[in-house]
């Protein structure tokens, strides 16, 4: 019995999931190729038989029986043939056994190389069969080793997966033997002919999958994550929508006393998570993302959104390293411009003064601010601001004292908009 070969069969079946018949076929093919290249006197008709129970290997070659040999690799003389088979006749084929020692070191090396290639292909097929349909699922494994810096090799059982350094947050640290959960991101071929399982913990879909594990309503599609953006290790924002009017999507994802979202946060090493109601209207979605902060003004342009906020709320809207505003922009698919109220008011006043100093005679016409009720226009005229120029040249603090309930900056903004329309 070939105990070494049986041990190989059992190891590959148990650890790699490769069937014994696949292994035997790989070895047989490699030995056939090695025999043809390395053993003198063999032709193309070489067969290899491997006993799957004992591991014993037998190699045979077939030669045609002829009167006179002209092709030694494929023919054998009748006299020589009868030494093996006394009753053989001309024109018949004789099967001859090839002793394993005739293979030599060159044949053994060639066989090993082919076996390795074939088994890699078989292992790749096993990996594809087991994991390709699981892309997008969360799987668990154990940290086995590291290479290329901080790239992690994760033992999944039958195969090893790769967690590249770029695929997990920078602040996460692992040690050999640590348990790790990750999203199965991809399965692809390698240059060596095998297959590679790629994991990720930094992709937004990893957070989606974690929520789906915790929230049954996401799994049964009662609630859906419509949009999700992430700065791995720092913050994730997701907009959720309910398809059942009786189900609150945000409350469902957060859970009673925050139990559901806390489990996700714990797996993400205390990464901040914001869950907001989804809205098709970008302005409403923006308000949901900013809540409880209420912007003073919002202007929606083709590729950007301009937001005006109180000075004390500006740092909260921008966030650390501009992260909050950046994530809001990613979710809305627009550039976000945030301005402090005091800066905006100073700019408005400067623009009013510059227009008031303009020689344009339009500013000396009777005041009529578009988008404002006739009562407010009459009240301003009655207070002495009967032309645009007089309004533009006044001190902003004088307006509310002379015309109570009127905001200078709101009116200034409307005048600027009126001027832009006039020019266009």
């Amino acid at each position: 019995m070939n105990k070494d070969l049986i041990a190989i069969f059992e190891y590959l079946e148990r650890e790699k999931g490769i069937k014994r018949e696949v292994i035997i076929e790989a070895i047989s093919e490699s030995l056939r190729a090695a025999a043809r290249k390395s053993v003198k006197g063999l032709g193309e008709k070489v067969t290899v038989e491997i006993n799957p129970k004992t591991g014993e290997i037998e190699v045979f070659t077939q030669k045609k029986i002829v009167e006179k040999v002209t092709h030694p690799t494929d023919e054998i003389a009748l006299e020589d043939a009868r030494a093996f088979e006394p009753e053989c006749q001309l024109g018949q084929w004789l099967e001859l056994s090839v002793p394993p020692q005739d293979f030599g070191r060159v044949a053994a090396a060639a066989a090993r190389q082919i076996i390795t290639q074939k088994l890699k292909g078989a292992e790749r097929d096993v990996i594809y069969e087991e994991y390709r349909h699981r892309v997008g699922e969360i799987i668990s494994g154990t940290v086995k080793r590291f290479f290329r810096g901080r790239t992690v090799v994760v033992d999944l059982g039958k195969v090893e997966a790769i967690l590249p350094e770029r695929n997990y947050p920078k602040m996460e640290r692992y040690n050999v033997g640590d348990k790790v959960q990750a999203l199965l991101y991809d399965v692809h071929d390698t240059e060596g002919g095998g297959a590679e399982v790629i994991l990720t913990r930094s992709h937004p879909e990893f957070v989606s999958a974690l929520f789906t594990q915790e929230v049954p309503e996401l799994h049964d599609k009662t609630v859906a994550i419509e949009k999700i953006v992430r700065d791995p290790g720092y913050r994730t924002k997701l907009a959720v929508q309910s398809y059942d009017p009786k189900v609150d999507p945000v409350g469902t994802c957060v859970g009673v006393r925050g139990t559901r979202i806390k489990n996700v946060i714990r797996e993400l090493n205390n990464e901040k998570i914001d869950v907001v109601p989804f809205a098709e209207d970008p302005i409403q979605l923006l308000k949901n993302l900013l809540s409880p902060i209420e912007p003073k003004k919002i202007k929606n342009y083709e590729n950007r959104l301009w937001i005006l906020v109180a000075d004390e709320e500006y740092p909260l809207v921008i966030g650390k390293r501009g992260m909050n505003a950046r994530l809001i922009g990613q979710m809305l698919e627009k550039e976000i411009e945030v301005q402090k109220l005091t800066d905006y008011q100073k700019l408005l006043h400067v623009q009013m003064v510059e227009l008031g100093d303009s020689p344009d005679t339009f500013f000396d016409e009777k005041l009529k601010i578009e988008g404002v009720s006739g009562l407010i226009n009459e009240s301003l005229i009655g207070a002495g601001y009967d032309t645009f120029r007089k309004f533009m040249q006044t001190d902003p603090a004088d307006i509310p004292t002379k015309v109570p309930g009127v905001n200078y900056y709101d009116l200034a903004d409307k005048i600027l908009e009126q001027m832009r329309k006039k020019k266009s």
Side-chain angles (χ1 to χ4, degrees):
M1 179 180 288
N2 191 333
K3 294 181 179 179
D4 291 340
L5 200 54
I6 293 297
I8 290 172
F9 290 162
E10 292 175 349
Y11 170 79
L12 292 173
E13 282 182 312
R14 182 179 65 253
E15 300 296 330
K16 302 295 185 180
I18 303 174
K19 294 180 180 179
R20 187 169 299 207
E21 54 265 32
V22 175
I23 305 168
I24 289 174
E25 177 57 32
I27 296 174
S28 298
E29 186 175 332
S30 67
L31 290 177
R32 280 196 297 272
R36 285 195 293 267
K37 287 182 180 179
S38 306
V39 181
K40 290 182 179 181
L42 292 187
E44 290 297 314
K45 294 183 178 295
V46 178
T47 58
V48 177
E49 294 180 5
I50 301 175
N51 189 308
K53 293 182 179 179
T54 65
E56 295 297 333
I57 301 174
E58 290 184 290
V59 181
F60 300 94
T61 182
Q62 288 187 339
K63 294 193 176 189
K64 190 173 184 179
I65 302 171
V66 296
E67 187 71 41
K68 185 179 180 181
V69 176
T70 54
H71 301 287
T73 57
D74 299 313
E75 298 172 341
I76 185 170
L78 178 62
E79 184 180 349
D80 294 333
R82 283 183 173 167
F84 298 100
E85 185 63 52
E87 297 181 1
C88 63
Q89 302 294 326
L90 287 172
Q92 292 180 339
W93 288 86
L94 182 66
E95 191 170 70
L96 301 171
S97 176
V98 181
Q101 58 266 27
D102 288 352
F103 279 63
R105 285 180 298 176
V106 175
R112 277 197 299 271
Q113 184 178 2
I114 296 171
I115 289 169
T116 301
Q117 291 173 349
K118 290 293 179 182
L119 292 182
K120 270 188 179 180
E123 185 177 357
R124 178 194 60 204
D125 293 341
V126 169
I127 292 171
Y128 270 117
E129 186 63 32
E130 182 153 352
Y131 290 100
R132 63 187 168 83
H133 64 281
R134 296 180 62 187
V135 170
E137 288 184 17
I138 290 179
I139 56 177
S140 301
T142 305
V143 175
K144 189 170 184 179
R145 65 180 185 277
F146 300 86
F147 74 101
R148 296 177 194 162
R150 295 179 61 225
T151 293
V152 184
V153 177
V154 181
D155 186 358
L156 300 180
K158 289 183 179 178
V159 302
E160 293 177 351
I162 305 298
L163 180 60
E165 182 178 353
R166 67 180 180 277
N167 282 14
Y168 63 94
K170 293 179 181 178
M171 63 286 301
E172 289 188 0
R173 295 290 183 271
Y174 298 102
N175 297 303
V176 173
D178 286 351
K179 298 292 183 184
V180 61
Q181 277 197 108
L183 186 78
L184 203 167
Y185 183 67
D186 191 19
V187 180
H188 62 237
D189 292 333
T190 63
E191 292 181 0
E196 203 168 53
V197 177
I198 305 297
L199 306 178
T200 181
R201 283 179 56 86
S202 60
H203 199 282
E205 287 304 315
F206 177 52
V207 182
S208 292
L210 288 173
F211 268 102
T212 302
Q213 280 188 343
E214 297 292 332
V215 183
E217 291 84 353
L218 285 171
H219 192 269
D220 65 21
K221 305 287 193 275
T222 303
V223 174
I225 298 173
E226 300 294 348
K227 285 196 172 186
I228 181 167
V229 292
R230 187 180 181 206
D231 189 338
Y234 296 100
R235 196 178 209 109
T236 293
K237 290 182 180 290
L238 56 153
V240 294
Q241 181 167 238
S242 173
Y243 290 92
D244 183 338
K246 296 178 182 178
V247 177
D248 169 26
V250 175
T252 299
C253 292
V254 172
V256 179
R257 296 191 182 91
T259 51
R260 290 174 171 178
I261 198 170
K262 281 177 183 176
N263 290 335
V264 177
I265 291 171
R266 192 179 300 114
E267 177 59 36
L268 298 176
N269 299 305
N270 296 316
E271 183 175 313
K272 291 182 174 63
I273 300 178
D274 301 326
V275 184
V276 303
F278 175 73
E280 291 285 355
D281 177 41
I283 300 299
Q284 185 56 54
L285 182 55
L286 173 62
K287 290 178 179 178
N288 295 346
L289 289 164
L290 292 174
S291 181
I293 295 170
E294 294 186 5
K296 304 296 181 183
K297 286 181 183 294
I298 298 173
K299 291 185 179 179
N300 187 9
Y301 300 100
E302 185 177 353
N303 296 315
R304 67 185 178 94
L305 275 163
W306 175 82
I307 310 166
L308 180 65
V309 296
D311 289 27
E312 64 274 14
E313 293 173 336
Y314 179 82
L316 297 174
V317 175
I318 293 295
K320 187 178 181 181
R321 301 181 293 113
M323 179 205 317
N324 196 54
R326 187 168 59 252
L327 288 175
I328 290 173
Q330 288 175 13
M331 182 162 281
L332 296 169
E333 299 178 18
K334 290 194 176 191
E335 184 182 338
I336 299 295
E337 182 183 342
V338 186
Q339 192 169 19
K340 293 179 183 177
L341 182 61
T342 54
D343 291 344
Y344 174 69
Q345 289 175 341
K346 288 175 185 176
L347 180 63
L348 266 184
H349 183 52
V350 168
Q351 289 175 313
M352 285 291 100
V353 171
E354 288 177 349
L355 284 173
D357 292 339
S358 167
D360 192 334
T361 56
F362 171 80
F363 300 129
D364 296 313
E365 295 179 7
K366 184 179 179 181
L367 183 70
K368 186 178 181 181
I369 305 173
E370 294 177 359
V372 173
S373 69
L375 180 60
I376 292 176
N377 276 310
E378 291 302 322
S379 298
L380 288 166
I381 292 170
Y385 305 108
D386 54 344
T387 66
F388 284 102
R389 196 180 301 279
K390 287 180 181 178
F391 178 88
M392 292 170 176
Q393 292 177 336
T394 191
D395 188 323
D398 291 343
I399 295 293
T401 58
K402 294 183 178 180
V403 188
V406 173
N407 186 302
Y408 167 85
Y409 298 103
D410 287 344
L411 296 177
D413 191 48
K414 290 184 182 298
I415 291 173
L416 286 176
E417 184 62 31
Q418 189 172 336
M419 295 304 104
R420 279 191 286 269
K421 287 180 180 177
K422 177 176 175 289
K423 288 181 180 179
S424 61

